[in-house]
mmCIF file of all heavy atoms in Angstrom:
data_model
loop_
_atom_site.group_PDB
_atom_site.id
_atom_site.type_symbol
_atom_site.label_atom_id
_atom_site.label_comp_id
_atom_site.label_asym_id
_atom_site.label_seq_id
_atom_site.Cartn_x
_atom_site.Cartn_y
_atom_site.Cartn_z
ATOM 1 N N PHE A 175 50.967 25.359 79.975
ATOM 2 C CA PHE A 175 51.162 23.887 80.221
ATOM 3 C C PHE A 175 52.270 23.594 81.292
ATOM 4 O O PHE A 175 52.419 22.514 81.805
ATOM 5 C CB PHE A 175 51.524 23.202 78.996
ATOM 6 C CG PHE A 175 50.305 23.187 78.144
ATOM 7 C CD1 PHE A 175 50.542 23.309 76.781
ATOM 8 C CD2 PHE A 175 49.052 23.069 78.568
ATOM 9 C CE1 PHE A 175 49.414 23.357 75.851
ATOM 10 C CE2 PHE A 175 47.954 23.090 77.745
ATOM 11 C CZ PHE A 175 48.146 23.243 76.349
ATOM 12 N N LEU A 176 53.088 24.557 81.563
ATOM 13 C CA LEU A 176 54.249 24.343 82.434
ATOM 14 C C LEU A 176 53.477 24.160 83.924
ATOM 15 O O LEU A 176 52.839 25.055 84.246
ATOM 16 C CB LEU A 176 55.205 25.581 82.517
ATOM 17 C CG LEU A 176 56.206 25.531 81.377
ATOM 18 C CD1 LEU A 176 57.046 26.801 81.394
ATOM 19 C CD2 LEU A 176 57.092 24.326 81.501
ATOM 20 N N PRO A 177 53.826 23.129 84.539
ATOM 21 C CA PRO A 177 53.275 23.070 85.945
ATOM 22 C C PRO A 177 54.113 23.811 86.833
ATOM 23 O O PRO A 177 55.267 24.084 86.638
ATOM 24 C CB PRO A 177 53.479 21.465 86.098
ATOM 25 C CG PRO A 177 54.595 21.240 85.359
ATOM 26 C CD PRO A 177 54.693 21.967 84.123
ATOM 27 N N PRO A 178 53.657 24.234 87.886
ATOM 28 C CA PRO A 178 52.265 24.203 88.322
ATOM 29 C C PRO A 178 51.672 25.538 88.227
ATOM 30 O O PRO A 178 52.328 26.431 87.989
ATOM 31 C CB PRO A 178 52.365 23.875 89.902
ATOM 32 C CG PRO A 178 53.686 24.528 90.272
ATOM 33 C CD PRO A 178 54.548 24.636 89.067
ATOM 34 N N LYS A 179 50.250 25.568 88.126
ATOM 35 C CA LYS A 179 49.707 26.834 87.796
ATOM 36 C C LYS A 179 49.704 27.796 88.994
ATOM 37 O O LYS A 179 49.421 29.006 88.925
ATOM 38 C CB LYS A 179 48.252 26.651 87.312
ATOM 39 C CG LYS A 179 47.875 27.750 86.471
ATOM 40 C CD LYS A 179 46.517 27.607 85.815
ATOM 41 C CE LYS A 179 46.169 28.946 85.313
ATOM 42 N NZ LYS A 179 45.764 29.608 84.556
ATOM 43 N N GLY A 180 50.034 27.242 90.208
ATOM 44 C CA GLY A 180 50.008 28.016 91.444
ATOM 45 C C GLY A 180 51.346 28.714 91.831
ATOM 46 O O GLY A 180 51.523 29.798 91.392
ATOM 47 N N GLU A 181 52.185 27.905 92.590
ATOM 48 C CA GLU A 181 53.091 28.643 93.454
ATOM 49 C C GLU A 181 54.127 29.505 92.810
ATOM 50 O O GLU A 181 53.820 30.762 92.560
ATOM 51 C CB GLU A 181 53.846 27.639 94.298
ATOM 52 C CG GLU A 181 53.206 27.553 95.653
ATOM 53 C CD GLU A 181 53.014 29.054 96.174
ATOM 54 O OE1 GLU A 181 53.966 29.797 96.394
ATOM 55 O OE2 GLU A 181 51.890 29.528 96.560
ATOM 56 N N PRO A 182 55.279 29.101 92.193
ATOM 57 C CA PRO A 182 56.358 30.088 91.770
ATOM 58 C C PRO A 182 56.004 30.601 90.340
ATOM 59 O O PRO A 182 56.782 30.482 89.494
ATOM 60 C CB PRO A 182 57.603 29.299 91.903
ATOM 61 C CG PRO A 182 57.237 27.816 91.909
ATOM 62 C CD PRO A 182 55.816 27.746 91.974
ATOM 63 N N ALA A 183 54.816 31.219 90.271
ATOM 64 C CA ALA A 183 54.515 31.562 88.948
ATOM 65 C C ALA A 183 55.278 32.585 88.425
ATOM 66 O O ALA A 183 55.482 32.776 87.138
ATOM 67 C CB ALA A 183 52.940 32.143 88.973
ATOM 68 N N MET A 184 56.001 33.355 89.239
ATOM 69 C CA MET A 184 56.865 34.420 88.788
ATOM 70 C C MET A 184 58.098 33.683 88.074
ATOM 71 O O MET A 184 58.516 34.163 86.929
ATOM 72 C CB MET A 184 57.528 35.177 89.931
ATOM 73 C CG MET A 184 57.899 36.507 89.617
ATOM 74 S SD MET A 184 57.625 37.553 90.891
ATOM 75 C CE MET A 184 58.971 38.373 91.191
ATOM 76 N N LEU A 185 58.557 32.611 88.597
ATOM 77 C CA LEU A 185 59.699 31.892 87.965
ATOM 78 C C LEU A 185 59.225 31.363 86.445
ATOM 79 O O LEU A 185 59.924 31.429 85.587
ATOM 80 C CB LEU A 185 60.090 30.621 88.737
ATOM 81 C CG LEU A 185 61.030 30.904 89.937
ATOM 82 C CD1 LEU A 185 61.367 29.726 90.739
ATOM 83 C CD2 LEU A 185 62.210 31.673 89.438
ATOM 84 N N LYS A 186 57.952 30.967 86.423
ATOM 85 C CA LYS A 186 57.410 30.511 85.186
ATOM 86 C C LYS A 186 57.439 31.557 84.209
ATOM 87 O O LYS A 186 57.842 31.284 82.993
ATOM 88 C CB LYS A 186 56.063 29.768 85.458
ATOM 89 C CG LYS A 186 55.528 29.057 84.432
ATOM 90 C CD LYS A 186 54.284 28.362 84.832
ATOM 91 C CE LYS A 186 53.125 29.180 84.562
ATOM 92 N NZ LYS A 186 51.848 28.464 84.901
ATOM 93 N N VAL A 187 56.976 32.680 84.600
ATOM 94 C CA VAL A 187 56.889 33.809 83.627
ATOM 95 C C VAL A 187 58.318 34.124 83.083
ATOM 96 O O VAL A 187 58.425 34.306 81.937
ATOM 97 C CB VAL A 187 56.249 35.056 84.269
ATOM 98 C CG1 VAL A 187 56.351 36.222 83.399
ATOM 99 C CG2 VAL A 187 54.694 34.777 84.627
ATOM 100 N N ILE A 188 59.239 34.224 84.090
ATOM 101 C CA ILE A 188 60.572 34.449 83.699
ATOM 102 C C ILE A 188 61.082 33.446 82.648
ATOM 103 O O ILE A 188 61.750 33.824 81.652
ATOM 104 C CB ILE A 188 61.589 34.537 85.011
ATOM 105 C CG1 ILE A 188 61.185 35.719 85.756
ATOM 106 C CG2 ILE A 188 62.994 34.547 84.623
ATOM 107 C CD1 ILE A 188 61.790 35.553 87.257
ATOM 108 N N PHE A 189 60.893 32.252 83.044
ATOM 109 C CA PHE A 189 61.357 31.028 82.228
ATOM 110 C C PHE A 189 60.644 31.249 80.712
ATOM 111 O O PHE A 189 61.389 31.184 79.724
ATOM 112 C CB PHE A 189 60.946 29.771 82.824
ATOM 113 C CG PHE A 189 61.313 28.575 81.907
ATOM 114 C CD1 PHE A 189 62.583 28.135 81.873
ATOM 115 C CD2 PHE A 189 60.422 27.952 81.194
ATOM 116 C CE1 PHE A 189 62.915 27.090 81.051
ATOM 117 C CE2 PHE A 189 60.712 26.937 80.423
ATOM 118 C CZ PHE A 189 62.034 26.453 80.333
ATOM 119 N N VAL A 190 59.385 31.483 80.662
ATOM 120 C CA VAL A 190 58.647 31.544 79.407
ATOM 121 C C VAL A 190 59.294 32.631 78.552
ATOM 122 O O VAL A 190 59.499 32.525 77.388
ATOM 123 C CB VAL A 190 57.164 31.759 79.653
ATOM 124 C CG1 VAL A 190 56.437 32.106 78.416
ATOM 125 C CG2 VAL A 190 56.580 30.480 80.208
ATOM 126 N N ILE A 191 59.424 33.810 79.150
ATOM 127 C CA ILE A 191 59.949 35.017 78.405
ATOM 128 C C ILE A 191 61.356 34.750 77.956
ATOM 129 O O ILE A 191 61.723 34.949 76.736
ATOM 130 C CB ILE A 191 59.844 36.268 79.198
ATOM 131 C CG1 ILE A 191 58.416 36.569 79.561
ATOM 132 C CG2 ILE A 191 60.590 37.492 78.468
ATOM 133 C CD1 ILE A 191 58.291 37.696 80.471
#
Side-chain angles (χ1 to χ4, degrees):
Chain A
F175 295 143
L176 277 176
K179 211 174 164 143
E181 260 318 296
M184 205 146 131
L185 282 181
K186 199 170 80 175
V187 172
I188 292 168
F189 177 77
V190 167
I191 297 173

